[in-house]
Amino acid sequence: MKKVKNICCIGAGYVGGPTMAVIARECPHIKVTVVDINAPRIEAWNDEDLTKLPVFEPGLDDIIKEARGRNLFFSTEVDKAIDEAEMIFISVNTPTKTYGKGKGMAADLKYIELCARQIARVSKTNKIVVEKSTLPVRTASAIKSILDNTGNDVQFEILSNPEFLAEGTAVTDLLNPDRVLIGGDNSTKEGVNAIQSLSDIYANWVPDSQILTTNVWSSELSKLTANAFLAQRVSSINAMSEICEQTGADVDEVAKAIGMDSRIGSKFLKASVGFGGSCFQKDILNLVYIAKSYGLEEVADYWEQVVIMNDYQKQRFSDNIVKTLYNTVSGKKITFLGWAFKKDTNDTRESAAIKVADSLLNEQAEIVVYDPKVVEERIYADLDYLGSRTPNENRNLLKTAKDAYKACTNSHGIAVLTEWDEFRTYDWERIYNDMQKPAFIFDGRGILNQSELERIGFVYYKIGSGIG
Ligand code: NAD
Ligand code: UGA
């Protein structure tokens, strides 16, 4: 069996960019071309100034520096890359549908279908097509049908190879994955060869024992299942956080106590203002839609509750700010520390901060946002997308600051929305002195030092233990 020497990836986003950069770094003998129709994004991937890469991930700049121009290329020439590649990864976005049947629930597969049609049109030699995007179970059969019926009589093998990286730790996750999952058809010789070709690529740096092969449907469904289980843990601990606040228990102590049970485990038990990110909500809603489409109403309701709980947690956090600030925030300055959906990323998709800001702006709060990595245009775009008020109103009510201390000056309350490490190290005495009194902190991430802040004079609320 011939080793793959030329691969391409359609979609240069948060997954396509870092994933292919790591493959190129670990496999210098393979030419890796990442293509996208978004020309400014490709230009940014090619920027000499590595601080301008479109995705911020710790360690990514070093990998790009090493591989780019050697065997890693970013380009807008999609047809050319497809034509030259033996293996094509599809890593385009699969957002929740915003129209028609399944609106607000099902995954929108239009970008996937466009890729399949383009691959079918361009390919003149046999290709292995790899689903890297997160897809509803059985999508591979739709891709296969398009490829086989509109192609130029070449053979296509479809593999599912979902990505499990988390943003902020993408590089370490890719270099040391818990497992690599490859779903394929092992009932045919071509299927077995395709699975082997992809396994061989990963085997350059991943131990064999961590490369898991399954049938295609198990692989597709495992990705949705993994995200559903992870999100469920966050909603479960967030549900407990409210009971803690009512009873005098501390959610971090409860999480530690249960996490030491090896059957439960300690990860993903940090109570928060709610999970965000482009995938948890989208993938659970997709799972709910799939369950409903098979008539599995109880299964659908079970998983939907994870999202309902998450929405409730965000609303509860903003309601609590209003209630604590004497039932009105109208005209009051509230400082947001953090806008990204988690630390160490510039990604804001579905960030809890967006919904919390929206609720507080409805109450006529004046918000100032400081985030070390998120740019102002992104923050306004997130708010404008909600359509709750005009872009002008958003810009009048919400401002951004490049300096955290300035952001906090004269503030009535500080809300911690992202767990950036630098927030822990601030001179909180200085911040306190420049704030309105009483000075409130609403720690939606439970990261600050409660006793120290209370000693300074702050009224400190922590998610999952309330006001001390
Ligand atoms: P993204 O929006 O950052 O990137 C997708 C890219 O695909 C965009 O740049 C877009 O321009 C490009 N694209 C769309 N259609 C195209 C076409 N026809 N031809 C060429 N380019 C096209 O999305 P992402 O966050 O990288 O996610 C991609 C997929 O990976 C999704 O299915 C997602 O669920 C999954 N996933 C994401 C993460 C994550 O952490 N973001 C992790 C695991 C899996
Ligand atoms: C998640 C999964 O962890 C990845 O395995 C998966 O590949 C990815 O989704 C995807 O499919 O897109 P990601 O969303 O990047 O990764 O980040 P997570 O670390 O999972 O965090 C998601 C959200 O949950 C964040 O808002 C985070 O702050 C929140 N969270 C996480 C908590 O509130 N508490 C926790 O204990 C853990």
Side-chain angles (χ1 to χ4, degrees), residues 432 437-439 452-459:
Y432 177 80
K437 305 295 174 327
E452 174 63 9
L453 292 173
E454 285 171 351
R455 187 196 58 73
I456 293 170
F458 283 105
V459 182

Side-chain angles (χ1 to χ4, degrees), residues 10-16 35-38 41 78 91-94 111 114-115 118 132-134 163-167 223 278-279 282-283 347 349:
I10 309 180
Y14 282 86
V15 167
V35 288
D36 204 299
I37 42 176
N38 181 336
R41 207 167 210 187
V78 184
S91 193
V92 300
N93 36 330
T94 51
Y111 306 109
L114 281 171
C115 288
Q118 191 164 8
K132 188 50 117 176
S133 298
T134 302
E163 185 47 61
F164 295 101
L165 69 81
E167 290 179 28
K223 173 63 198 176
S278 61
C279 294
K282 154 177 94 69
D283 292 348
D347 195 349
R349 291 177 290 180

Side-chain angles (χ1 to χ4, degrees), residues 48-60:
E48 277 306 308
D49 178 356
L50 292 170
T51 64
K52 299 226 173 87
L53 294 179
V55 170
F56 169 74
E57 281 293 337
L60 183 61

Side-chain angles (χ1 to χ4, degrees), residues 25-38:
R25 213 280 295 257
E26 298 300 317
C27 310
H29 54 287
I30 298 177
K31 180 180 175 195
V32 180
T33 309
V34 192
V35 288
D36 204 299
I37 42 176
N38 181 336

Side-chain angles (χ1 to χ4, degrees), residues 321-332 334 363-364:
I321 294 179
V322 177
K323 196 172 102 209
T324 309
L325 293 180
Y326 315 106
N327 288 313
T328 178
V329 288
S330 178
K332 289 184 183 165
I334 312 283
E363 296 292 330
Q364 300 183 341

Side-chain angles (χ1 to χ4, degrees), residues 100-111:
K101 202 159 174 276
K103 178 179 172 179
M105 282 259 156
D108 190 344
L109 298 180
K110 71 177 171 208
Y111 306 109

Side-chain angles (χ1 to χ4, degrees), residues 105 284-308:
M105 282 259 156
I284 294 177
L285 292 176
N286 185 5
L287 196 62
V288 170
Y289 184 76
I290 292 168
K292 282 192 174 168
S293 70
Y294 286 101
L296 311 177
E297 292 302 325
E298 288 78 4
V299 176
D301 290 350
Y302 176 78
W303 286 111
E304 191 166 13
Q305 197 59 35
V306 173
V307 175
I308 293 171

